[in-house]
Coordinates of all heavy atoms in Angstrom, one line a residue:
M1396 N 107.3 103.2 97.9 CA 107.1 102.0 98.6 C 108.1 101.0 98.1 O 108.2 100.7 96.9 CB 105.7 101.5 98.3 CG 105.4 100.2 99.0 SD 103.6 99.7 98.7 CE 103.6 98.1 99.3
L1397 N 108.8 100.4 99.0 CA 109.9 99.4 98.6 C 109.3 98.0 98.7 O 108.6 97.7 99.7 CB 111.1 99.6 99.5 CG 111.8 100.9 99.5 CD1 112.9 100.9 100.6 CD2 112.4 101.1 98.1
L1398 N 109.6 97.2 97.8 CA 109.2 95.8 97.8 C 110.2 95.0 98.6 O 111.4 95.2 98.5 CB 109.1 95.2 96.4 CG 108.0 95.8 95.6 CD1 108.0 95.2 94.2 CD2 106.6 95.6 96.2
D1399 N 109.7 94.1 99.5 CA 110.5 93.2 100.3 C 110.9 92.0 99.5 O 110.0 91.2 99.1 CB 109.8 92.9 101.6 CG 110.7 92.1 102.5 OD1 111.7 91.6 102.1 OD2 110.3 92.0 103.7
D1400 N 112.1 91.8 99.1 CA 112.5 90.7 98.3 C 112.4 89.4 99.1 O 112.4 88.3 98.5 CB 114.0 90.8 97.9 CG 114.2 91.9 96.9 OD1 113.2 92.2 96.2 OD2 115.3 92.4 96.8
N1401 N 112.1 89.4 100.4 CA 112.0 88.2 101.2 C 110.5 87.7 101.2 O 110.2 86.7 101.8 CB 112.5 88.4 102.6 CG 114.0 88.6 102.6 OD1 114.7 88.0 101.8 ND2 114.5 89.5 103.5
L1402 N 109.6 88.5 100.7 CA 108.2 88.1 100.7 C 108.0 86.9 99.7 O 108.5 87.0 98.6 CB 107.3 89.2 100.3 CG 107.1 90.4 101.3 CD1 106.3 91.5 100.7 CD2 106.4 89.9 102.5
P1403 N 107.2 85.9 100.1 CA 107.0 84.8 99.2 C 106.0 85.3 98.1 O 105.1 86.1 98.4 CB 106.3 83.8 100.1 CG 105.7 84.5 101.2 CD 106.6 85.7 101.4
E1404 N 106.2 84.8 96.9 CA 105.3 85.1 95.8 C 104.2 84.1 95.8 O 104.4 82.9 96.0 CB 106.0 85.1 94.5 CG 107.0 86.3 94.3 CD 107.7 86.3 93.0 OE1 107.4 85.4 92.1 OE2 108.5 87.1 92.7
I1405 N 103.0 84.6 95.5 CA 101.8 83.6 95.3 C 101.2 84.0 94.0 O 101.3 85.1 93.5 CB 100.8 83.6 96.5 CG1 100.2 85.0 96.6 CG2 101.5 83.2 97.8 CD1 99.1 85.0 97.7
S1406 N 100.5 83.1 93.4 CA 99.8 83.3 92.2 C 98.5 84.1 92.4 O 98.0 84.2 93.6 CB 99.4 82.0 91.5 OG 98.4 81.3 92.2
V1407 N 97.9 84.6 91.4 CA 96.6 85.3 91.5 C 95.6 84.4 92.0 O 94.8 84.7 92.9 CB 96.2 85.9 90.1 CG1 94.8 86.5 90.1 CG2 97.2 87.0 89.6
A1408 N 95.6 83.1 91.5 CA 94.6 82.1 91.9 C 94.7 81.8 93.4 O 93.7 81.7 94.1 CB 94.8 80.9 91.1
E1409 N 96.0 81.7 93.9 CA 96.2 81.5 95.3 C 95.7 82.7 96.2 O 95.0 82.5 97.2 CB 97.6 81.3 95.6 CG 98.2 79.9 95.1 CD 99.7 79.8 95.2 OE1 100.4 80.8 94.8 OE2 100.1 78.8 95.8
L1410 N 95.9 83.9 95.7 CA 95.5 85.1 96.4 C 94.0 85.1 96.5 O 93.4 85.3 97.6 CB 96.0 86.3 95.8 CG 95.5 87.6 96.4 CD1 95.9 87.8 97.8 CD2 96.0 88.8 95.6
L1411 N 93.3 84.8 95.4 CA 91.8 84.9 95.4 C 91.2 83.7 96.2 O 90.2 83.9 96.9 CB 91.3 84.8 93.9 CG 91.6 86.1 93.1 CD1 91.1 85.9 91.7 CD2 91.0 87.3 93.7
E1412 N 91.9 82.6 96.2 CA 91.4 81.5 97.0 C 91.5 81.8 98.5 O 90.6 81.5 99.3 CB 92.2 80.2 96.7 CG 91.7 78.9 97.4 CD 90.2 78.6 97.1 OE1 89.8 78.8 95.9 OE2 89.5 78.1 98.0
N1413 N 92.6 82.4 98.9 CA 92.8 82.8 100.3 C 91.7 83.9 100.7 O 91.2 83.8 101.8 CB 94.2 83.4 100.5 CG 95.2 82.3 100.6 OD1 95.0 81.2 101.1 ND2 96.4 82.6 100.0
I1414 N 91.5 84.8 99.8 CA 90.4 85.9 100.1 C 89.1 85.2 100.2 O 88.3 85.5 101.1 CB 90.5 86.9 99.0 CG1 91.7 87.8 99.1 CG2 89.2 87.8 99.1 CD1 92.0 88.7 97.9
K1415 N 88.8 84.3 99.3 CA 87.5 83.6 99.3 C 87.3 82.8 100.6 O 86.3 82.9 101.2 CB 87.4 82.6 98.1 CG 86.1 81.8 98.0 CD 86.2 80.9 96.8 CE 84.9 80.0 96.7 NZ 85.1 78.8 97.4
H1416 N 88.4 82.1 101.0 CA 88.3 81.3 102.2 C 88.1 82.3 103.4 O 87.2 81.9 104.3 CB 89.6 80.6 102.4 CG 89.7 79.8 103.7 ND1 89.0 78.7 103.9 CD2 90.4 80.1 104.8 CE1 89.2 78.2 105.2 NE2 90.0 79.1 105.7
Q1417 N 88.7 83.4 103.5 CA 88.6 84.3 104.6 C 87.1 84.9 104.6 O 86.5 85.0 105.7 CB 89.6 85.5 104.5 CG 91.0 85.0 104.9 CD 91.1 84.6 106.3 OE1 90.6 85.2 107.2 NE2 91.8 83.5 106.5
L1418 N 86.6 85.3 103.5 CA 85.3 85.8 103.4 C 84.2 84.8 103.8 O 83.3 85.1 104.6 CB 85.0 86.3 102.0 CG 85.6 87.6 101.6 CD1 85.4 87.9 100.2 CD2 85.1 88.8 102.5
E1419 N 84.4 83.6 103.3 CA 83.4 82.5 103.7 C 83.5 82.1 105.1 O 82.5 81.8 105.8 CB 83.6 81.3 102.8 CG 83.2 81.5 101.4 CD 83.5 80.4 100.4 OE1 84.3 79.5 100.8 OE2 82.9 80.4 99.3
Q1420 N 84.7 82.2 105.7 CA 84.9 81.8 107.1 C 84.3 82.9 108.0 O 83.7 82.6 109.1 CB 86.3 81.6 107.4 CG 86.6 81.1 108.8 CD 88.1 80.9 109.0 OE1 89.0 81.3 108.2 NE2 88.5 80.2 110.0
N1421 N 84.4 84.1 107.7 CA 84.0 85.2 108.5 C 82.6 85.8 108.2 O 82.0 86.5 109.0 CB 85.1 86.3 108.5 CG 86.4 85.9 109.1 OD1 86.4 85.5 110.3 ND2 87.4 85.9 108.4
F1422 N 82.1 85.6 107.0 CA 80.9 86.2 106.5 C 80.0 85.1 105.8 O 79.6 85.4 104.7 CB 81.1 87.4 105.6 CG 81.9 88.5 106.3 CD1 83.2 88.6 106.1 CD2 81.2 89.4 107.1 CE1 83.9 89.7 106.7 CE2 81.9 90.4 107.7 CZ 83.3 90.6 107.5
A1423 N 79.7 84.0 106.5 CA 78.9 83.0 105.8 C 77.6 83.5 105.4 O 77.1 83.3 104.2 CB 78.7 81.8 106.7
L1424 N 76.9 84.3 106.2 CA 75.7 84.9 105.9 C 75.8 86.4 106.3 O 76.2 86.7 107.4 CB 74.5 84.3 106.6 CG 74.2 82.9 106.2 CD1 73.1 82.3 107.2 CD2 73.7 82.8 104.8
V1425 N 75.4 87.3 105.5 CA 75.5 88.7 105.8 C 74.4 89.5 105.0 O 74.0 89.1 103.9 CB 76.9 89.2 105.4 CG1 77.2 89.2 104.0 CG2 77.1 90.6 106.0
K1426 N 73.9 90.5 105.7 CA 73.0 91.4 105.1 C 73.7 92.7 104.9 O 74.4 93.2 105.8 CB 71.8 91.7 105.9 CG 70.7 90.7 105.9 CD 69.5 91.3 106.7 CE 68.4 90.3 106.7 NZ 67.2 90.8 107.5
V1427 N 73.6 93.3 103.7 CA 74.3 94.6 103.4 C 73.3 95.6 103.1 O 72.4 95.4 102.3 CB 75.3 94.4 102.2 CG1 75.9 95.7 101.9 CG2 76.3 93.3 102.4
K1428 N 73.3 96.7 103.9 CA 72.4 97.8 103.7 C 73.1 98.9 102.9 O 74.1 99.4 103.3 CB 72.0 98.3 105.1 CG 71.0 99.5 105.0 CD 70.6 99.9 106.4 CE 69.6 101.0 106.3 NZ 69.2 101.5 107.7
G1429 N 72.4 99.3 101.9 CA 72.9 100.4 101.1 C 71.9 100.8 100.0 O 70.9 100.2 99.8
E1430 N 72.3 101.9 99.3 CA 71.4 102.4 98.2 C 71.8 101.7 96.9 O 73.0 101.6 96.6 CB 71.5 103.9 98.1 CG 70.7 104.5 97.0 CD 70.9 106.0 96.8 OE1 71.2 106.6 97.8 OE2 70.7 106.5 95.7
V1431 N 70.8 101.3 96.1 CA 71.1 100.6 94.8 C 71.3 101.7 93.8 O 70.6 102.7 93.7 CB 69.9 99.8 94.4 CG1 70.1 99.3 93.0 CG2 69.6 98.6 95.4
S1432 N 72.4 101.6 93.0 CA 72.6 102.5 91.9 C 73.2 101.7 90.7 O 73.7 100.6 90.9 CB 73.6 103.6 92.3 OG 74.9 103.1 92.6
S1433 N 73.1 102.4 89.6 CA 73.7 101.8 88.3 C 73.1 100.4 88.0 O 73.8 99.5 87.5 CB 75.2 101.7 88.3 OG 75.7 103.0 88.5
F1434 N 71.8 100.2 88.4 CA 71.1 98.9 88.2 C 71.0 98.6 86.7 O 70.5 99.5 85.9 CB 69.8 98.9 88.9 CG 69.1 97.6 88.7 CD1 69.3 96.6 89.6 CD2 68.2 97.4 87.7 CE1 68.7 95.3 89.4 CE2 67.5 96.2 87.5 CZ 67.8 95.1 88.4
K1435 N 71.3 97.4 86.3 CA 71.1 97.0 84.9 C 70.8 95.5 84.9 O 71.5 94.7 85.4 CB 72.3 97.3 84.1 CG 72.3 96.7 82.7 CD 71.8 97.8 81.7 CE 72.1 97.2 80.3 NZ 71.2 97.7 79.3
L1436 N 69.6 95.1 84.3 CA 69.2 93.7 84.1 C 69.6 93.4 82.7 O 69.1 94.0 81.7 CB 67.8 93.5 84.4 CG 67.2 92.1 84.2 CD1 67.9 91.2 85.2 CD2 65.7 92.1 84.5
Y1437 N 70.5 92.4 82.5 CA 70.9 92.0 81.2 C 70.1 90.9 80.6 O 69.4 90.2 81.3 CB 72.4 91.6 81.3 CG 73.4 92.7 81.4 CD1 73.6 93.3 82.6 CD2 74.0 93.3 80.3 CE1 74.5 94.4 82.7 CE2 74.8 94.4 80.4 CZ 75.1 94.9 81.6 OH 75.9 96.0 81.7
P1438 N 70.1 90.8 79.2 CA 69.3 89.7 78.6 C 69.7 88.3 79.1 O 68.9 87.4 79.0 CB 69.7 89.9 77.1 CG 70.1 91.3 77.0 CD 70.7 91.7 78.3
S1439 N 70.9 88.2 79.6 CA 71.3 86.9 80.2 C 70.5 86.5 81.4 O 70.5 85.3 81.9 CB 72.8 86.9 80.6 OG 73.0 87.9 81.6
G1440 N 69.8 87.5 82.0 CA 69.0 87.3 83.2 C 69.8 87.7 84.5 O 69.2 87.7 85.6
H1441 N 71.1 88.1 84.4 CA 71.8 88.5 85.5 C 71.6 90.0 85.7 O 71.5 90.8 84.8 CB 73.3 88.3 85.3 CG 73.7 86.9 85.0 ND1 73.1 85.8 85.6 CD2 74.6 86.4 84.1 CE1 73.7 84.7 85.1 NE2 74.5 85.0 84.2
A1442 N 71.5 90.4 87.0 CA 71.4 91.8 87.3 C 72.7 92.3 88.0 O 73.2 91.7 88.9 CB 70.2 92.0 88.3
Y1443 N 73.2 93.4 87.4 CA 74.4 94.1 87.9 C 74.0 95.4 88.5 O 73.2 96.2 87.9 CB 75.4 94.2 86.8 CG 76.0 92.9 86.3 CD1 75.3 92.2 85.3 CD2 77.1 92.4 86.8 CE1 75.8 91.0 84.8 CE2 77.6 91.2 86.4 CZ 76.9 90.5 85.4 OH 77.4 89.3 84.9
F1444 N 74.6 95.8 89.7 CA 74.3 97.0 90.3 C 75.4 97.4 91.3 O 76.3 96.6 91.6 CB 72.9 97.0 91.0 CG 72.8 95.8 91.9 CD1 72.9 96.0 93.3 CD2 72.4 94.6 91.5 CE1 72.8 94.9 94.2 CE2 72.2 93.5 92.3 CZ 72.4 93.7 93.7
N1445 N 75.3 98.5 91.9 CA 76.1 99.0 93.0 C 75.3 99.1 94.3 O 74.1 99.5 94.2 CB 76.8 100.3 92.7 CG 77.8 100.2 91.5 OD1 78.4 99.2 91.3 ND2 77.8 101.3 90.8
L1446 N 75.9 98.8 95.4 CA 75.3 99.1 96.7 C 76.2 100.2 97.3 O 77.5 100.0 97.3 CB 75.3 97.9 97.6 CG 74.2 96.9 97.2 CD1 74.4 95.7 98.2 CD2 72.8 97.4 97.3
K1447 N 75.7 101.3 97.7 CA 76.5 102.4 98.2 C 76.0 103.0 99.5 O 74.8 102.9 99.7 CB 76.7 103.5 97.1 CG 75.5 104.2 96.7 CD 75.8 105.2 95.7 CE 74.5 106.0 95.4 NZ 74.7 107.1 94.4
D1448 N 76.9 103.6 100.2 CA 76.5 104.4 101.3 C 77.4 105.7 101.3 O 78.0 106.0 100.2 CB 76.6 103.7 102.7 CG 78.0 103.2 103.0 OD1 79.0 103.8 102.5 OD2 78.2 102.4 103.9
E1449 N 77.4 106.4 102.3 CA 78.1 107.7 102.3 C 79.7 107.5 102.2 O 80.4 108.4 101.8 CB 77.9 108.5 103.6 CG 76.4 108.9 103.8 CD 75.6 107.8 104.4 OE1 76.1 106.8 105.0 OE2 74.4 107.8 104.1
Q1450 N 80.1 106.3 102.5 CA 81.6 106.1 102.5 C 82.2 105.2 101.5 O 83.4 105.1 101.3 CB 82.0 105.7 103.9 CG 81.7 106.7 105.0 CD 82.0 106.2 106.4 OE1 82.1 105.0 106.6 NE2 82.0 107.1 107.4
A1451 N 81.3 104.3 100.9 CA 81.9 103.3 100.0 C 80.9 102.8 99.0 O 79.7 103.1 99.1 CB 82.4 102.1 100.9
V1452 N 81.4 102.1 98.0 CA 80.5 101.5 96.9 C 81.0 100.1 96.7 O 82.2 99.8 96.7 CB 80.7 102.3 95.6 CG1 79.9 101.6 94.5 CG2 80.3 103.8 95.7
L1453 N 80.0 99.2 96.7 CA 80.3 97.8 96.5 C 79.6 97.3 95.2 O 78.4 97.5 95.0 CB 79.7 97.0 97.7 CG 79.8 95.5 97.6 CD1 81.2 95.0 97.7 CD2 78.9 94.9 98.7
N1454 N 80.4 96.8 94.2 CA 79.9 96.3 93.0 C 79.2 94.9 93.3 O 79.7 94.1 94.1 CB 81.0 96.0 92.0 CG 81.7 97.3 91.6 OD1 81.1 98.3 91.5 ND2 82.9 97.2 91.3
A1455 N 78.0 94.7 92.8 CA 77.2 93.5 93.1 C 76.6 92.9 91.8 O 76.4 93.6 90.8 CB 76.1 93.9 94.1
V1456 N 76.3 91.6 92.0 CA 75.6 90.9 90.9 C 74.6 89.9 91.5 O 74.9 89.4 92.6 CB 76.6 90.2 90.0 CG1 77.4 89.1 90.7 CG2 75.9 89.5 88.8
C1457 N 73.5 89.8 90.9 CA 72.5 88.8 91.3 C 72.3 87.9 90.0 O 71.9 88.3 89.0 CB 71.2 89.4 91.7 SG 70.0 88.2 92.2
F1458 N 72.7 86.6 90.2 CA 72.7 85.7 89.0 C 71.2 85.3 88.8 O 70.4 85.3 89.7 CB 73.6 84.5 89.3 CG 75.0 84.9 89.3 CD1 75.7 84.9 90.6 CD2 75.7 85.3 88.2 CE1 77.0 85.2 90.6 CE2 77.0 85.7 88.3 CZ 77.7 85.6 89.5
K1459 N 71.0 84.9 87.5 CA 69.6 84.7 87.1 C 68.9 83.6 87.9 O 67.7 83.7 88.1 CB 69.6 84.3 85.6 CG 70.2 83.0 85.2 CD 70.1 82.8 83.7 CE 70.8 81.5 83.3 NZ 70.7 81.3 81.9
N1460 N 69.6 82.6 88.4 CA 69.0 81.5 89.1 C 68.5 82.0 90.5 O 67.7 81.3 91.1 CB 69.9 80.3 89.3 CG 71.2 80.6 89.8 OD1 71.8 81.7 89.6 ND2 71.8 79.7 90.4
Y1461 N 68.9 83.2 91.0 CA 68.4 83.8 92.2 C 67.5 84.9 92.0 O 66.7 85.3 92.8 CB 69.6 84.2 93.1 CG 70.4 83.1 93.6 CD1 71.7 82.8 93.1 CD2 69.9 82.3 94.7 CE1 72.4 81.8 93.6 CE2 70.7 81.2 95.1 CZ 71.9 81.0 94.6 OH 72.7 80.0 95.1
W1462 N 67.6 85.5 90.8 CA 66.8 86.8 90.5 C 65.3 86.6 90.7 O 64.6 87.4 91.3 CB 67.2 87.3 89.1 CG 66.4 88.5 88.8 CD1 65.5 88.7 87.8 CD2 66.6 89.8 89.4 NE1 65.0 90.0 87.8 CE2 65.7 90.7 88.7 CE3 67.4 90.3 90.3 CZ2 65.6 92.0 89.1 CZ3 67.4 91.6 90.7 CH2 66.5 92.5 90.0
H1463 N 64.8 85.4 90.2 CA 63.4 85.2 90.3 C 62.9 84.9 91.7 O 61.7 84.9 92.0 CB 63.0 84.0 89.4 CG 63.4 82.7 89.8 ND1 64.7 82.3 89.6 CD2 62.8 81.7 90.5 CE1 64.9 81.1 90.1 NE2 63.7 80.7 90.7
K1464 N 63.8 84.7 92.7 CA 63.4 84.4 94.0 C 63.3 85.7 94.9 O 62.8 85.7 96.0 CB 64.5 83.5 94.7 CG 64.6 82.1 94.0 CD 65.7 81.3 94.7 CE 65.8 80.0 94.0 NZ 66.8 79.2 94.5
I1465 N 63.7 86.8 94.3 CA 63.6 88.1 95.0 C 62.2 88.6 95.0 O 61.6 88.8 93.9 CB 64.6 89.1 94.4 CG1 66.1 88.6 94.6 CG2 64.5 90.5 95.1 CD1 67.1 89.5 93.9
E1466 N 61.6 88.9 96.2 CA 60.3 89.4 96.2 C 60.1 90.8 95.7 O 59.2 91.1 94.9 CB 59.8 89.4 97.7 CG 59.5 88.0 98.3 CD 59.1 88.1 99.7 OE1 58.5 89.1 100.1 OE2 59.2 87.1 100.4
H1467 N 61.0 91.7 96.1 CA 61.0 93.1 95.6 C 62.3 93.3 94.7 O 63.4 93.4 95.2 CB 61.0 94.1 96.7 CG 61.2 95.5 96.3 ND1 60.2 96.2 95.6 CD2 62.3 96.3 96.4 CE1 60.7 97.4 95.4 NE2 61.9 97.5 95.8
Q1468 N 62.1 93.3 93.4 CA 63.3 93.5 92.6 C 63.7 95.0 92.6 O 62.9 95.8 92.3 CB 63.0 93.0 91.2 CG 62.7 91.5 91.2 CD 62.3 90.9 89.9 OE1 61.8 91.6 89.0 NE2 62.4 89.6 89.7
P1469 N 65.0 95.2 92.9 CA 65.4 96.6 93.2 C 65.5 97.4 91.9 O 65.7 96.9 90.8 CB 66.8 96.4 93.8 CG 67.2 95.1 93.3 CD 66.0 94.3 93.1
I1470 N 65.4 98.7 92.1 CA 65.7 99.7 91.1 C 66.6 100.8 91.7 O 66.8 100.8 92.9 CB 64.4 100.4 90.6 CG1 63.6 101.1 91.7 CG2 63.5 99.3 89.9 CD1 62.5 101.9 91.3
D1471 N 67.2 101.6 90.8 CA 68.0 102.7 91.3 C 67.3 103.5 92.4 O 66.2 103.9 92.2 CB 68.5 103.6 90.2 CG 69.6 103.1 89.3 OD1 70.2 102.0 89.7 OD2 69.9 103.7 88.3
G1472 N 68.0 103.8 93.4 CA 67.5 104.6 94.5 C 66.9 103.8 95.7 O 66.7 104.4 96.8
D1473 N 66.7 102.5 95.5 CA 66.2 101.7 96.6 C 67.2 101.5 97.7 O 68.4 101.6 97.4 CB 65.8 100.3 96.1 CG 64.4 100.2 95.4 OD1 63.8 101.3 95.4 OD2 64.1 99.2 94.9

């Protein structure tokens, strides 16, 4: 793969801000259906897990300020 010397360079922060803007603009509210795997609730109160289906895996986190609002707290295989 050849790099195009005419492409403008942007910082990591600029790239992430652009990605964040696109996601928020196109996916303000979204439900994701998948199987929970690698679930771990840390002493900090944050829950880390994966959501997966037959084709992909999405790393996910539920921060402690939202964790107590979940009616059914997930476990591996849900």
Side-chain angles (χ1 to χ4, degrees):
M1396 179 177 172
L1397 299 173
L1398 294 179
D1399 186 343
D1400 289 337
N1401 294 323
L1402 288 175
E1404 291 183 2
I1405 63 173
S1406 69
V1407 173
E1409 288 172 310
L1410 176 62
L1411 292 178
E1412 185 60 34
N1413 284 324
I1414 292 169
K1415 178 180 181 271
H1416 176 73
Q1417 288 296 317
L1418 285 173
E1419 289 175 344
Q1420 185 175 14
N1421 294 300
F1422 298 100
L1424 295 173
V1425 64
K1426 279 186 180 181
V1427 178
K1428 180 179 179 180
E1430 180 182 332
V1431 175
S1432 66
S1433 303
F1434 180 85
K1435 174 93 172 151
L1436 181 60
Y1437 283 84
S1439 65
H1441 306 318
Y1443 293 86
F1444 54 97
N1445 295 324
L1446 289 175
K1447 65 180 184 175
D1448 62 20
E1449 298 80 22
Q1450 299 176 342
V1452 177
L1453 176 67
N1454 297 328
V1456 61
C1457 182
F1458 296 108
K1459 67 179 178 180
N1460 52 332
Y1461 293 104
W1462 181 248
H1463 70 279
K1464 297 177 183 180
I1465 297 175
E1466 290 180 24
H1467 171 73
Q1468 296 176 340
I1470 58 172
D1471 281 350
D1473 281 355

